[in-house]
Amino acid sequence: MILRQFYVILLKTQTNFYLLSKVLPNPSPRFSPDPNRLRFLNPKGSFGSRLMASASRSGDARRRNYAPLPPVSADKAELLRGLEAALGSPFSSDPLSPPASPMIIVISGPSGVGKDAVIKRLQEVREGIHFVVTATSRAQRPGEIDGKDYYFVSKEEFLSMIERNELLEYALVYGEYKGIPKQQIRDFMAKGYDIILRVDVQGAATLRRILGNSAVFIFLVAESEEALVRRLVDRKTETSDMLLVRIATAREEVKCTRDFDYAVVNGEGRLDAAVKLVESIIDAEKARVSQRSVRL
Ligand SMILES: Nc1ncnc2c1ncn2[C@@H]1O[C@H](COP(=O)(O)OP(=O)(O)OP(=O)(O)O)[C@@H](O)[C@H]1O
């Protein structure tokens, strides 16, 4: 048993020295283990065996005089200096993760699902995001603030914004115009902010055509149609006729879920859970190796 443990330690030591001898420019000439034996030690084709394979292809040409490394029990600074010397360059303090670039997050969903509520809460709990204030020709609702919730403009003003090509996207929704001012996005992205766009489902489809995969598309849904209707009725901002149109439209809109990157349930009384999920999506997107690059 003791002999076996000794043998395993010896083999591991040989493996480490073998790896170092192949990777480092100044390997020890004292160890030159049989590569076939080492392949047997690491049979699963892990990164380790791949490293060995590539090192064994290129290592021999890089052999130089051997300078012994300080032992691991040595003073830490001395050990680090020794490792740096052996590697031939100092350790870099540059971040190893790819730089996270500002991104555009499109939040959409049927009327009354809670887009405004989710975005409002997200702005309270997360820094570095900018909610693009949409221009609209619809009337201001009680409690809404001009320039914060929407830019409330007349129909004539809206049409001249279209004329001047100032909008990334616009639509006529329930007889009223809504549109996204382009310059606001450029300005805030230049300052490093992530951009939140709030659009209805048709708007999201248009934005997908314009932005492609350069933006992240999130579809907000209620837990059920019944819950969505209850929420719309409770809001008390629509007439019965308007409610009917919105609910019929919502039935069609949920069929578009698959056109989005993510679906987030905004369940009754579970606003914070929905916001947390949106935050997780943003965090995950920031950790992507290949970042989405925005084209405006
Ligand atoms: N998780 C939730 N639980 C309960 N009520 C909610 C939740 N989320 C939003 N609400 C309420 O539902 C109503 C509709 O929400 P909100 O106005 O944010 O929807 P919306 O998707 O922005 O609607 P619209 O597109 O018509 O402007 C509001 O009264 C809001 O306070």
Side-chain angles (χ1 to χ4, degrees):
M1 184 63 186
I2 290 169
L3 262 178
R4 192 167 168 269
Q5 279 176 350
F6 175 73
Y7 182 66
V8 167
I9 288 166
L10 184 67
L11 285 181
K12 278 186 180 163
T13 310
Q14 279 193 326
T15 309
N16 292 339
F17 266 96
Y18 178 76
L19 279 171
L20 280 172
S21 74
K22 295 300 178 186
V23 173
L24 301 182
N26 51 354
S28 165
R30 281 177 293 163
F31 290 98
S32 52
D34 175 6
N36 292 326
R37 170 92 154 276
L38 291 165
R39 222 171 283 135
F40 173 69
L41 287 171
N42 197 352
K44 287 188 181 162
S46 64
F47 279 127
S49 65
R50 265 182 267 154
L51 179 62
M52 274 191 280
S54 73
S56 64
R57 278 195 297 274
S58 62
D60 287 346
R62 289 189 279 156
R63 280 170 193 270
R64 280 190 223 144
N65 290 337
Y66 172 62
L69 283 171
V72 280
S73 57
D75 171 66
K76 197 158 99 183
E78 187 194 337
L79 177 59
L80 295 184
R81 271 198 307 277
L83 289 167
E84 285 182 329
L87 284 163
S89 60
F91 297 133
S92 166
S93 56
D94 292 346
L96 291 172
S97 58
S101 31
M103 59 184 183
I104 296 182
I105 302 122
V106 178
I107 297 188
S108 187
S111 176
V113 73
K115 299 182 287 294
D116 280 343
V118 164
I119 291 168
K120 219 169 244 174
R121 188 87 190 100
L122 187 65
Q123 285 177 294
E124 286 164 11
V125 298
R126 192 176 177 98
E127 288 182 352
I129 55 167
H130 173 71
F131 171 51
V132 173
V133 183
T134 308
T136 181
S137 64
R138 83 153 161 76
Q140 204 167 337
R141 287 177 190 149
E144 285 180 332
I145 300 166
D146 186 26
K148 186 165 179 276
D149 297 301
Y150 289 95
Y151 285 116
F152 294 99
V153 297
S154 67
K155 270 199 178 125
E156 294 68 36
E157 282 174 279
F158 200 100
L159 291 171
S160 72
M161 288 171 86
I162 298 172
E163 194 78 0
R164 294 196 297 268
N165 193 24
E166 286 177 8
L167 302 168
L168 175 65
E169 178 273 339
Y170 69 91
L172 193 59
V173 185
Y174 305 117
E176 299 292 353
Y177 284 104
K178 280 184 182 180
I180 302 165
K182 276 189 211 171
Q183 196 53 42
Q184 217 186 114
I185 300 177
R186 294 195 190 109
D187 290 348
F188 277 87
M189 285 189 90
K191 287 190 251 175
Y193 282 80
D194 293 323
I195 302 296
I196 304 283
L197 298 179
R198 174 217 189 278
V199 282
D200 59 68
V201 179
Q202 293 123 291
T206 309
L207 283 180
R208 185 60 110 181
R209 280 196 293 278
I210 296 167
L211 298 170
N213 283 328
S214 68
V216 182
F217 287 75
I218 299 178
F219 193 58
L220 271 190
V221 285
E223 59 274 56
S224 66
E225 185 181 71
E226 190 197 5
L228 176 67
V229 172
R230 218 177 311 118
R231 212 170 291 169
L232 262 178
V233 171
D234 289 347
R235 188 168 71 175
K236 296 187 172 77
T237 52
E238 278 82 20
T239 63
S240 308
D241 286 347
M242 283 159 83
L243 278 175
L244 184 65
V245 175
R246 283 176 190 240
I247 294 160
T249 308
R251 275 200 174 164
E252 289 306 307
E253 288 174 338
V254 289
K255 294 175 187 162
C256 301
T257 312
R258 68 188 57 202
D259 298 331
F260 289 76
D261 299 308
Y262 300 93
V264 170
V265 176
N266 180 29
E268 191 65 28
R270 296 190 43 80
L271 181 67
D272 281 341
V275 172
K276 205 165 221 156
L277 187 49
V278 170
E279 278 212 276
S280 302
I281 291 167
I282 298 173
D283 291 337
E285 287 286 334
K286 294 235 167 255
R288 276 172 68 110
V289 172
S290 164
Q291 299 271 309
R292 298 172 193 259
S293 67
V294 177
R295 293 168 272 117
L296 270 189

